[in-house]
Amino acid sequence: MTPAFEVLPRDLSPYRVGNTGIPYVHRFDSGRPGPHVLVNALTHGNEFCGMVAACHLLDNSVRPLKGTLTVSFANVAAYETFDPARPFDSRQLVHNLNRIWSAEWLDGPEDSPELRRARELRPAVAAADHVLDLHSTSQPVQPFWVYPKLGRNGAAALAIGRPAVHLVMPQGLGSGTPLIQHGRLADAQGSGVGLVAECGQHFLQASSDLAIEVALDFLAHFGLIDREPPSALRAPQQRFELLQTCLVTHADFRFTRPLVGFETFAKNALIATQGPDEIRSPCDGCTLLMPTREPIVGREAVYLSKAMDREAP
């Protein structure tokens, strides 16, 4: 079924020439001591909410009161292939740009548009103290944070307060290295915060509206702008721990029933089959996130998670 398009791509060519020597990367230094914060958009080419938020920051001349603000558009090459008749195909050209941020990939021999872009963006990501990576989902589910299980990440997400749902990764994704785990952001003894905000369905205006609010909240949290915290709007926080990332390993992959995300399964309940293999729930109350809408061998099928305490980072 073709989704409703409340948001469509806009021409990003006016943003191509930034001031960093890296196309589509813009940096603003306040001249005052403070953190360097990166707001990144379009890690996936059809996730328009980040594009809208990044354009908002640039079009409205949002500038840091202290420290440094960098705004980047990542996979513009994939974004520019968007076709409303096949709106999910422009997610990536070859590689998932959000799984290749390890030295193994970045320094390795393989080549693709995404690897070339990641290598190009690498200095901008490495320079940032804190990173917000704006994403969206193929299904219209409630927005949620995604971040490694480091106390500083949880504390920042809880303090910001929206989205109110958190997916916490104790051991990473298990399917590659995301941007928010590049370099020192993954250092257990470090201080850098790396958060993904999944802001809602790709093409809904509400997702773009939330992405703008989350970007401004993130900047305010680190003191780069003045902004009233959204405490009056704060919803109860709900946190899930990632148990397993299941990959599609067989062309004959089938979920046992239609899924969009946040469905729960009892322990040992059958979730999916792929050829002779089964995916079963590892625990009671297993909550599924990001079930694939189109199984492709080698790509992620679904995240299995369980509810955890609501407030402690």
Side-chain angles (χ1 to χ4, degrees):
M1 186 171 110
T2 302
F5 297 109
E6 297 177 2
V7 179
L8 287 169
R10 60 182 283 186
D11 178 16
L12 295 184
S13 60
Y15 307 98
R16 178 177 175 80
V17 179
N19 57 357
T20 64
I22 306 171
Y24 299 102
V25 178
H26 301 253
R27 181 171 297 158
F28 308 101
D29 189 333
S30 70
R32 299 185 180 122
H36 184 164
V37 176
L38 169 63
V39 177
N40 183 65
L42 291 179
T43 296
H44 298 130
N46 66 339
E47 300 187 6
F48 298 154
C49 67
M51 174 273 294
V52 172
C55 289
H56 177 89
L57 296 178
L58 296 173
D59 294 349
N60 289 276
S61 299
V62 174
R63 299 292 184 266
L65 299 172
K66 66 177 184 179
T68 301
L69 167 63
T70 295
V71 180
S72 60
F73 303 88
N75 202 347
V76 178
Y79 170 84
E80 290 177 338
T81 69
F82 178 76
D83 178 354
R86 299 185 62 83
F88 299 99
D89 289 3
S90 58
R91 172 181 173 83
Q92 64 194 66
L93 297 175
V94 177
H95 288 111
N96 182 342
L97 184 56
N98 206 31
R99 300 294 182 272
I100 55 175
W101 286 90
S102 64
E104 177 184 5
W105 277 103
L106 295 177
D107 297 330
E110 291 199 47
D111 183 48
S112 71
E114 281 81 12
L115 279 165
R116 290 193 294 274
R117 184 57 172 159
R119 289 162 182 154
E120 193 172 45
L121 289 170
R122 191 178 194 176
V125 177
D129 297 309
H130 310 296
V131 174
L132 173 65
D133 195 16
L134 293 166
H135 287 250
S136 54
T137 53
S138 60
Q139 302 286 359
V141 295
Q142 58 190 316
F144 57 98
W145 296 108
V146 184
Y147 51 85
K149 192 177 183 180
L150 297 170
R152 60 187 187 263
N153 288 336
L158 288 165
I160 292 169
R162 58 180 169 184
V165 178
H166 307 238
L167 176 61
V168 183
M169 305 182 297
Q171 305 296 328
L173 275 173
S175 56
T177 303
L179 183 149
I180 60 167
Q181 286 190 279
H182 177 62
R184 59 195 175 113
L185 292 171
D187 183 355
Q189 305 306 315
S191 58
V193 168
L195 302 178
V196 162
E198 298 279 0
C199 296
Q201 203 276 340
H202 298 325
F203 314 119
L204 297 181
Q205 183 63 49
S207 305
S208 293
D209 293 343
L210 179 61
I212 292 171
E213 296 302 315
V214 170
L216 294 172
D217 290 343
F218 193 82
L219 296 181
H221 177 75
F222 291 105
L224 271 67
I225 63 172
D226 284 332
R227 177 174 168 84
E228 287 297 319
S231 56
L233 304 174
R234 183 182 172 90
Q237 305 290 290
Q238 188 174 17
R239 305 173 79 231
F240 297 90
E241 179 179 298
L242 179 64
L243 301 174
Q244 182 182 353
T245 298
C246 301
L247 300 179
V248 179
T249 60
H250 195 283
D252 184 18
F253 179 100
R254 302 172 189 273
F255 287 116
T256 54
R257 58 186 171 95
L259 301 171
V260 297
F262 289 97
E263 294 86 355
T264 59
F265 283 75
K267 185 175 181 177
N268 208 41
L270 183 63
I271 297 169
T273 58
Q274 42 183 346
D277 299 322
E278 298 178 336
I279 297 175
R280 290 186 176 271
S281 168
C283 63
D284 282 327
C286 178
T287 301
L288 274 56
L289 280 80
M290 306 285 276
T292 182
R293 55 170 300 279
E294 182 180 1
I296 297 174
V297 173
R299 296 192 185 179
E300 292 165 3
V302 66
Y303 299 160
L304 309 184
S305 73
K306 66 176 182 180
M308 55 190 294
D309 62 276
R310 290 178 178 261
E311 294 293 338

